[in-house]
Amino acid sequence: MRTTRVTVAALVAAAALTLTACGDETPKTDAVTSLTGQAKAGKATVLDRPFDKPELVLTDTTGKPWNLREQTKGKPTLIYFGYTNCPDVCPLTMSNVAVAKKALPKEDQDKLQVVFVTTDPERDTPESLGAWLKAQDPSFTGLTGDFATIQAAARKLGIGIEAPKKLADGKVVSMHGAQVIAFSPKNDEGYLLYGEGTTVDDYTKDLPKIVKGENP
């Protein structure tokens, strides 16, 4: 699979362009496409300067504190920021990853950590988040907590998120980046980025190498 290299600085600078309103029919901007002039769908972006794993302690679906760095140390990890009331992008992304994960050998399935961090912590309680993720894959980790803490961690990964807003029709929308970041088990650095257009087949092809900390 052909990959595209993009600098971390460029991604962070363009984070504001990657916000997606789940369920919104307005055109969405892909910051990586804007920077490279190449289609992102179905292609991993290999970061020339990987992201450090943020120091993030939130509440998991059992109501207990969960330390991102400690719990995922030395493990292949996928991180995604989204919310359970999203009608399209978030459930599709998690479903794609869940289906692809099942194609891995059992040993590799047990190694892979998938972390879903809510961008709508007021509505995504540990209980509701746990029920939603259970329908996707019971092994997925769901995290909720203070919005400012979540937003700061996302920004360190070049992902922009905004506090949920109520629209005129009463709907609540959470604007957030739709990227999935893959962290290597070799050095715990986020070295791959996947955009909204990534398919089940793309993840299925790449996960075996991600588990080993290799480039797809």
Side-chain angles (χ1 to χ4, degrees):
M1 180 179 295
R2 184 166 61 85
T3 58
T4 302
R5 291 186 177 274
V6 177
T7 65
V8 171
L11 287 172
V12 173
L17 299 177
T18 68
L19 297 180
T20 294
C22 296
D24 192 345
E25 296 181 357
T26 57
K28 305 176 183 67
T29 301
D30 189 316
V32 175
T33 299
S34 300
L35 290 168
T36 66
Q38 299 181 34
K40 274 294 295 140
K43 298 179 179 65
T45 299
V46 180
L47 305 178
D48 68 335
R49 293 179 59 191
F51 290 111
D52 290 328
K53 191 174 291 181
E55 294 184 5
L56 182 64
V57 180
L58 294 171
T59 303
D60 67 13
T61 55
T62 69
K64 297 179 180 180
W66 204 89
N67 188 306
L68 177 65
R69 282 190 171 182
E70 291 182 2
Q71 298 293 112
T72 63
K73 186 176 181 179
K75 300 176 181 179
T77 304
L78 302 181
I79 295 179
Y80 180 79
F81 292 80
Y83 68 118
T84 65
N85 285 283
C86 170
D88 40 34
V89 179
C90 301
L92 177 60
T93 299
M94 289 295 97
S95 176
N96 287 347
V97 173
V99 172
K101 181 184 174 184
K102 291 178 181 178
L104 289 169
K106 182 61 167 62
E107 181 180 359
D108 287 347
Q109 289 187 44
D110 294 340
K111 292 178 182 177
L112 183 65
Q113 304 292 302
V114 179
V115 181
F116 181 95
V117 184
T118 183
T119 59
D120 186 11
E122 184 173 339
R123 290 189 295 171
D124 283 344
T125 64
E127 295 78 15
S128 63
L129 184 55
W132 187 81
L133 284 175
K134 185 177 180 180
Q136 300 286 348
D137 187 316
S139 72
F140 286 2
T141 296
L143 300 178
T144 186
D146 176 66
F147 178 80
T149 300
I150 294 170
Q151 186 180 50
R155 284 176 174 170
K156 289 181 179 179
L157 298 175
I159 298 174
I161 65 173
E162 295 180 357
K165 297 179 180 179
K166 181 176 288 188
L167 304 180
D169 60 4
K171 293 181 180 179
V172 178
V173 174
S174 176
M175 300 287 286
H176 62 89
Q179 306 95 325
V180 172
I181 307 291
F183 287 80
S184 170
K186 295 179 179 179
N187 53 22
D188 289 319
E189 294 183 335
Y191 71 114
L192 295 176
L193 181 147
Y194 290 90
E196 182 181 329
T198 309
T199 66
V200 172
D201 289 342
D202 297 325
Y203 284 121
T204 300
K205 292 176 182 177
D206 289 4
L207 286 185
K209 292 187 177 181
I210 290 174
V211 168
K212 298 177 181 177
E214 301 174 352
N215 287 349

